[in-house]
Amino acid sequence: SEFWGGKTMELRRCCMEDLEEIRTLFTTTILTVNRRDYTDVQVRAWAGAAREFPRRQSFFLDLYTLVALEGTQLVGYGNIHESGYLDHLFVHRDYQGRGIATALCDALEAHAAAGGVERVTVHASLTARPFFLGRGYRLLREQRAEVGGVFLKNCVMEKLLTPGLESPVPRK
């Protein structure tokens, strides 16, 4: 599919070989993009969660995790639980605002709808909140989440899905 700038983007299921690049993207995005909404202490604790990724391979491989690629560059990823809980959605700091998060979210929501899920929930960062509001999610409440002994504010949000959305990425 095409996105901003006429570049070609590919979405595909995550595989083992993606995990190190995902870890780097997660850490870098939090330390740069999310820094505008969180303190230095908060982003460092949050980014520090990536230390657990090597022991959490099943988290990425068991959930429906998609990666977005521009050529060979991994530019974003996201995943969703079969319950409809959208857990991760991150876009590389140099590829923000190009429709990557939209493409990933479209595919994750469609996958959930195809699986019979009626609502998607997300604990969105303050940074991501406007993105989700723009997609028709509604704010249920703000909460404090604990990460590495540090508290961060995030937003519990939900969106009702249209039954029978067609998933643009094949199920495995």
Side-chain angles (χ1 to χ4, degrees):
S1 66
E2 285 210 351
F3 66 111
W4 179 86
K7 302 270 190 193
T8 303
M9 177 181 52
E10 175 197 355
L11 292 185
R12 67 161 168 75
R13 290 291 299 267
C14 171
C15 58
M16 281 292 292
E17 294 72 38
D18 299 321
L19 296 182
E20 188 54 39
E21 226 175 327
I22 283 174
R23 192 169 81 100
T24 302
L25 187 147
F26 172 88
T27 303
T28 307
T29 304
I30 290 167
L31 291 174
T32 56
V33 177
N34 295 103
R35 182 178 293 277
R36 65 176 181 253
D37 296 296
Y38 294 94
T39 67
D40 189 59
V41 169
Q42 288 173 323
V43 293
R44 286 179 187 280
W46 185 7
R51 286 192 295 271
E52 299 294 318
F53 284 12
R55 291 193 292 281
R56 296 182 68 206
Q57 292 172 357
S58 61
F59 167 79
F60 294 100
L61 301 176
D62 294 349
L63 290 186
Y64 186 73
T65 301
L66 296 177
V67 293
L69 301 165
E70 182 181 299
T72 58
Q73 170 77 44
L74 195 147
V75 295
Y77 78 95
N79 57 26
I80 195 162
H81 187 271
E82 63 188 17
S83 67
Y85 177 65
L86 195 156
D87 201 331
H88 282 204
L89 183 64
F90 287 92
V91 172
H92 190 291
R93 67 177 181 186
D94 298 333
Y95 293 83
Q96 299 276 319
R98 299 190 188 192
I100 296 166
T102 297
L104 283 165
C105 211
D106 285 349
L108 295 172
E109 289 172 4
H111 175 81
V117 170
E118 294 179 2
R119 73 187 62 219
V120 172
T121 57
V122 64
H123 294 177
S125 68
L126 297 175
T127 316
R129 178 163 121 173
F131 169 79
F132 286 108
L133 286 172
R135 291 187 61 81
Y137 283 71
R138 66 189 186 104
L139 177 65
L140 299 180
R141 66 182 181 280
E142 288 190 348
Q143 67 178 12
R144 283 167 20 112
E146 189 263 335
V147 183
V150 175
F151 285 94
L152 301 97
K153 187 188 285 185
N154 69 17
C155 306
V156 180
M157 304 178 81
E158 76 167 9
K159 178 182 182 178
L160 301 179
L161 294 180
T162 309
L165 278 176
E166 278 303 307
S167 176
V169 177
R171 301 169 87 82
K172 260 195 200 158

